[in-house]
Amino acid sequence: MTVKTMDALLVKKCFLAGAAAIQAKKEYINDLNVFPVPDGDTGTNMTMTIMSAANEVLAVEDPDMETICRAISSGSLRGARGNSGVILSQLLRGFTKVIRNEKEINVKILAQSFQKAVDSAYKAVMKPKEGTILTVAKGGAEHASKIVKNCDDIVEFARQVIEQMREVLSRTPDMLPVLKEAGVVDSGGEGLVTILEGVYDALTGKEVHYEAESGAPVGSNATNSAKVEGISTGDIKFGYCTEFIILLEKEFTSRDEKSLKGYLESIGDSIVCVADEELVKIHVHTNDPGLAIQKGLSYGELSRMKIDNMREEHNERLIQSGSASGTSPEASPGVTQASGEKKEEETPWKKVGFISVSVGEGLGNIFRELGADYVIEGGQTMNPSTEDILDAVSHVRAETIYIFPNNSNIVLAANQARDLTEDKHIVVIPTKNIPQGITAMINYIDGNSEEENEAAMTEAVQQIKSGQVTYAVRDTSIDGKEIKQGDIMGLSDKTIEVVGSDVKETTLRLIDALKDEETELITLYYGAESSEEEAQEIAAAVCGKYEEIEVETEYGGQPIYYYFISVE
């Protein structure tokens, strides 16, 4: 079969086939992860990222290249989860920038788009590491530029490029010793090649069926679990929370943005209008959603439309909580019904706000007590998407917002949300775990400049040592340790320090590995599967062994991880 050009309909078919391919192979890709922790794995993150885009692509009924590219770019960008998902979204964004203005594409245009994809992805990563998805993508782009002069058949061109990427993927263990020790190739690279193999199947005429994935609405991972019983539906001035994305069909200038914001303010409040060169995200509380939608249509097509009746949801929440009377002495003022966030229309704008990613009731409360305006529920077991973070940003009424990702796999998504936000100043403190996030927030000093606070928080994070205790989800070999499924592991910021069969014993061994002569304070945040009694026993054992060290215990309530440990 020979294919010389691809039109928008074929691009749509191939993209959906690529999405279906990685969806089918998701668990296999997850199993390639080197660290056997119950975390947001690569296969899951890449699948959820591309499915976000695929659902938008599927909704394009009469496709042209422009609308297909917008759907791919905006869907993947906002649905990106984890580092692998963010990198995938940047690859797709770079790719679509080249082809979006073409009616048909050939191998020459494809080669250019591959290179643009790689350039975009490398720019998104602060310190690109070879032996990863980036290396595999670069290998494909370089080979595409070599063969383009002698190959005008897209099918053959794709076959050779994918073959070369498979070859580069097979060499990733030689580039990263940790892959070689575990006996696996890079999982992100495997995910990328899997997507392209799905594309190739569609090019060769193989029938691939794709159906939209149903799931929780955008932003559903975000929560502020404040009480809602004390709020009357009469306090809700504008009853419909209206959200949608405008896929721009013409230039959207700063004057257009000002005009649109002004119109939305005339029909409602809690306005969020975030724009880039391709789309505009709208959030407004109004009594007439149709007016907002009609105005949005004047700028382009609409996507991800969502209208919630806030009064109705408020009553349902009251009924579910068994407090239909609408009164509670414990109710907190200024919160809304849907996710417990503060009522934007009643909360004044302030200079500084804080968003933290966390998991577990206890840890969420700790962050709120430290001043977090919004806590995004997520982290180890579910990395929030760029859209989830943008949703949190939309609910915090502050000129400058500090974001604490608290997971190394969420930092890129937070940075991407920062880059997509124009009406607020976003500062991402690259905290890689919960203890770092808590330390960073403690070191914020009201009255200091943004630069002073950012420097102080970043320095404080670097001074702290962190540990986690969890269980292995698969067999593997890493750092000279043979690990079996179900083993208890003690992890530091850098590696798996200890492996055992008992939670308490492993935790004590991990603390021994983390402490040094300067250690003064150790804090244990015990999880949902650990008890306060056990935490106190561990604290007592450490104090008995090291008289100069103070040990504190705090209820974290996090799932999966028995303990988070902070060593200062």
Side-chain angles (χ1 to χ4, degrees):
M1 182 177 182
T2 300
V3 177
K4 295 295 182 71
T5 60
M6 297 176 67
D7 60 10
L9 192 61
L10 183 54
V11 170
K12 175 181 179 180
K13 179 181 179 181
C14 288
F15 182 77
L16 293 176
I22 192 170
Q23 184 181 36
K25 207 174 176 181
K26 175 178 64 178
E27 292 306 324
Y28 170 75
I29 296 167
N30 281 342
D31 287 341
L32 293 176
N33 280 274
V34 173
F35 287 94
V37 296
D39 210 330
D41 283 334
T42 301
T44 298
N45 286 335
M46 293 184 74
T47 299
M48 294 186 76
T49 299
I50 200 169
M51 286 302 169
S52 174
N55 287 344
E56 289 201 17
V57 168
L58 195 68
V60 179
E61 296 180 356
D62 187 18
D64 57 39
M65 205 68 77
E66 177 77 10
T67 56
I68 288 295
C69 287
R70 282 182 175 177
I72 292 172
S73 180
S74 65
S76 61
L77 198 67
R78 294 171 182 274
R81 294 178 187 269
N83 293 343
S84 58
V86 172
I87 292 171
L88 175 60
S89 73
Q90 289 298 327
L91 287 168
L92 293 171
R93 193 180 197 193
F95 182 90
T96 56
K97 277 187 175 180
V98 175
I99 71 171
R100 64 185 305 161
N101 295 320
E102 306 290 340
K103 288 187 176 180
E104 292 186 331
I105 55 179
N106 54 28
V107 291
K108 182 178 179 181
I109 295 171
L110 282 174
Q112 293 171 353
S113 64
F114 284 175
Q115 187 57 55
K116 183 66 174 178
V118 171
D119 292 343
S120 297
Y122 267 85
K123 286 178 183 177
V125 180
M126 186 77 70
K127 296 179 180 179
K129 184 181 293 186
E130 299 304 329
T132 66
I133 181 176
L134 293 171
T135 307
V136 176
K138 182 172 67 175
E142 290 175 348
H143 194 66
S145 65
K146 289 179 182 179
I147 67 173
V148 66
K149 293 181 180 179
N150 301 314
C151 179
D152 63 355
D153 176 16
I154 292 177
V155 175
E156 178 59 20
F157 175 82
R159 186 192 67 77
Q160 291 188 38
V161 169
I162 293 170
E163 187 177 86
Q164 176 64 19
M165 291 174 71
R166 270 282 171 210
E167 199 278 326
V168 173
L169 179 64
S170 71
R171 288 190 276 113
T172 54
D174 296 326
M175 304 177 204
L176 284 177
V178 69
L179 295 176
K180 193 164 191 174
E181 185 178 5
V184 296
V185 296
D186 178 68
S187 55
E190 177 68 45
L192 179 60
V193 175
T194 296
I195 292 169
L196 291 178
E197 287 174 340
V199 170
Y200 181 78
D201 285 341
L203 279 173
T204 55
K206 182 178 179 180
E207 284 298 321
V208 180
H209 298 287
Y210 172 84
E211 294 182 1
E213 265 197 344
S214 60
V218 172
S220 63
N221 284 337
T223 179
N224 269 320
S225 56
K227 292 181 178 294
V228 301
E229 293 89 339
I231 306 300
S232 165
T233 55
D235 294 332
I236 302 175
K237 184 178 179 181
F238 296 101
Y240 296 94
C241 178
T242 306
E243 299 179 19
F244 54 86
I245 290 175
I246 306 171
L247 305 177
L248 295 170
E249 294 178 347
K250 55 186 177 182
E251 184 182 4
F252 189 76
T253 65
S254 57
R255 180 177 294 181
D256 292 328
E257 184 174 353
K258 185 176 180 180
S259 173
L260 179 55
K261 285 181 178 178
Y263 177 79
L264 294 173
E265 286 171 352
S266 73
I267 65 169
D269 62 11
S270 299
I271 312 298
V272 175
C273 178
V274 182
D276 63 16
E277 70 272 14
E278 299 173 350
L279 50 85
V280 182
K281 176 180 170 59
I282 298 297
H283 172 280
V284 58
H285 290 177
T286 179
N287 286 326
D288 195 337
L291 291 176
I293 289 171
Q294 199 169 26
K295 186 66 174 178
L297 284 169
S298 68
Y299 296 98
E301 291 186 11
L302 303 188
S303 173
R304 294 198 183 188
M305 289 180 285
K306 180 171 173 282
I307 301 173
D308 293 324
N309 184 328
M310 296 191 291
R311 297 184 182 95
E312 183 179 84
E313 289 187 353
H314 176 73
N315 287 333
E316 289 177 356
R317 180 66 65 87
L318 291 177
I319 292 169
Q320 290 172 3
S321 66
S323 303
S325 63
T327 60
S328 171
E330 301 177 61
S332 303
V335 295
T336 61
Q337 72 299 329
S339 60
E341 71 270 14
K342 292 183 178 181
K343 286 183 74 175
E344 291 100 342
E345 63 267 27
E346 294 183 358
T347 305
W349 275 81
K350 56 184 182 176
K351 287 188 176 181
V352 179
F354 302 92
I355 294 172
S356 177
V357 179
S358 183
V359 61
E361 178 186 2
L363 291 171
N365 288 335
I366 289 171
F367 279 110
R368 278 185 281 272
E369 288 168 2
L370 290 173
D373 299 276
Y374 206 97
V375 175
I376 304 174
E377 189 77 13
Q380 267 68 17
T381 53
M382 175 56 72
N383 301 147
S385 67
T386 299
E387 183 73 24
D388 291 327
I389 299 172
L390 284 170
D391 184 69
V393 168
S394 75
H395 286 91
V396 177
R397 291 166 63 84
E399 296 172 12
T400 297
I401 301 174
Y402 291 88
I403 298 179
F404 305 92
N406 301 334
N407 186 297
S408 59
N409 212 28
I410 301 174
V411 174
L412 283 182
N415 289 340
Q416 195 151 271
R418 175 199 61 202
D419 296 341
L420 289 170
T421 302
E422 295 185 357
D423 61 335
K424 299 171 183 176
H425 182 56
I426 306 298
V427 180
V428 177
I429 305 299
T431 50
K432 297 181 179 180
N433 52 55
I434 293 293
Q436 286 187 358
I438 292 172
T439 298
M441 289 200 69
I442 289 173
N443 280 271
Y444 174 85
I445 300 176
D446 192 25
N448 281 2
S449 68
E450 175 194 312
E451 292 76 15
E452 289 172 330
N453 272 312
E454 184 174 3
M457 288 189 283
T458 302
E459 182 180 356
V461 163
Q462 293 171 349
Q463 299 302 316
I464 193 172
K465 293 182 181 180
S466 307
Q468 304 169 357
V469 180
T470 186
Y471 58 88
V473 296
R474 64 181 73 92
D475 296 352
T476 191
S477 174
I478 185 170
D479 291 343
K481 298 179 179 67
E482 290 295 328
I483 300 171
K484 300 298 181 183
Q485 182 177 349
D487 281 351
I488 307 300
M489 301 181 298
L491 294 76
S492 67
D493 297 333
K494 298 178 180 179
T495 188
I496 300 172
E497 296 284 350
V498 296
V499 179
S501 58
D502 178 76
V503 173
K504 181 179 175 180
E505 178 194 359
T506 302
T507 304
L508 287 168
R509 289 171 58 201
L510 176 60
I511 291 172
D512 283 339
L514 292 174
K515 68 162 289 296
D516 57 31
E517 294 180 355
E518 298 180 357
T519 299
E520 298 177 351
L521 174 65
I522 295 175
T523 306
L524 294 174
Y525 301 95
Y526 60 94
E529 297 182 47
S530 301
S531 65
E532 181 179 7
E533 181 182 5
E534 182 184 67
Q536 293 288 357
E537 289 174 357
I538 293 172
V542 174
C543 289
K545 188 174 183 180
Y546 308 107
E547 294 182 0
E548 72 281 7
I549 296 178
E550 180 182 353
V551 183
E552 296 180 353
T553 61
E554 297 279 355
Y555 172 61
Q558 68 272 10
I560 310 299
Y561 285 72
Y562 303 109
Y563 291 97
F564 290 145
I565 303 171
S566 172
V567 178
E568 304 174 61

